[in-house]
């Protein structure tokens, strides 16, 4: 999978934006937290946002890029249940919202592959 030298920074930007959103509008993320997880949804929302910010920082720095990219791929797999919950919860919403929630599910695959391709390059220029 060929990527530009800016690819790690673009992924870092995506993660940073999502991380900030977790703190700016936590209520919308709280609803996606699976009930099976212990503790309060807000704690998971903030923890997820903090992880996204840390991963973004790691991807931005060449010295930590490979490890951060591997962790990012694992993170994308780990948050998949929240995306499934959102799709299930939104099944009765208007068509555009339902489509967005369902459309997020297959998007996880290219996100995981993107992060892995950054890690495989070592310097992040996959």
């Amino acid at each position: 999978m060929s990527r530009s030298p800016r690819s790690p920074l673009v992924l870092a930007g995506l993660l940073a934006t999502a991380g900030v959103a977790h703190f700016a509008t936590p209520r919308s993320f709280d609803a996606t937290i699976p009930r099976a997880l212990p503790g309060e949804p807000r704690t998971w929302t903030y923890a997820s946002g903090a992880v996204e910010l840390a991963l973004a920082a790691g991807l931005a720095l060449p010295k930590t890029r490979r490890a951060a990219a591997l962790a990012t791929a694992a993170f994308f797999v780990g948050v998949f249940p929240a995306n499934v919950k959102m799709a299930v919860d939104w099944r009765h919403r208007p068509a555009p919202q339902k489509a967005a929630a369902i459309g997020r599910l297959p998007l996880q695959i290219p996100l995981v592959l993107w992060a892995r391709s950054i890690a495989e390059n070592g310097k992040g220029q996959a």
Side-chain angles (χ1 to χ4, degrees), residues 58 60-67:
L61 300 171
K63 284 188 174 188
T64 57
R65 187 167 290 153
R66 178 169 163 60

Side-chain angles (χ1 to χ4, degrees), residues 65-98:
R65 187 167 290 153
R66 178 169 163 60
L70 290 171
T72 298
F75 178 79
F76 287 144
V77 172
V79 299
F80 188 73
N83 292 338
V84 171
K85 183 180 183 308
M86 181 180 178
V88 170
D89 290 349
W90 286 25
R91 69 187 179 278
H92 300 298
R93 290 208 177 181
Q97 290 177 333
K98 184 169 39 174

Side-chain angles (χ1 to χ4, degrees), residues 18-50 52 79 81-87 89-90 93 104:
V20 167
H22 278 71
F23 290 96
T25 58
R27 197 164 146 185
S28 62
F29 292 94
D30 291 347
T32 68
I33 304 300
R35 290 183 193 96
L37 291 175
E40 296 297 317
R42 182 63 50 92
T43 303
W44 288 99
T45 294
Y46 286 153
S48 178
E52 286 173 321
V79 299
N83 292 338
V84 171
K85 183 180 183 308
M86 181 180 178
D89 290 349
W90 286 25
R93 290 208 177 181
R104 288 181 63 170

Side-chain angles (χ1 to χ4, degrees), residues 4-5 11 37 71 85 88 108 118 121 126:
S4 81
L11 184 55
L37 291 175
K85 183 180 183 308
V88 170
Q108 293 300 113
I118 292 168
N121 181 270

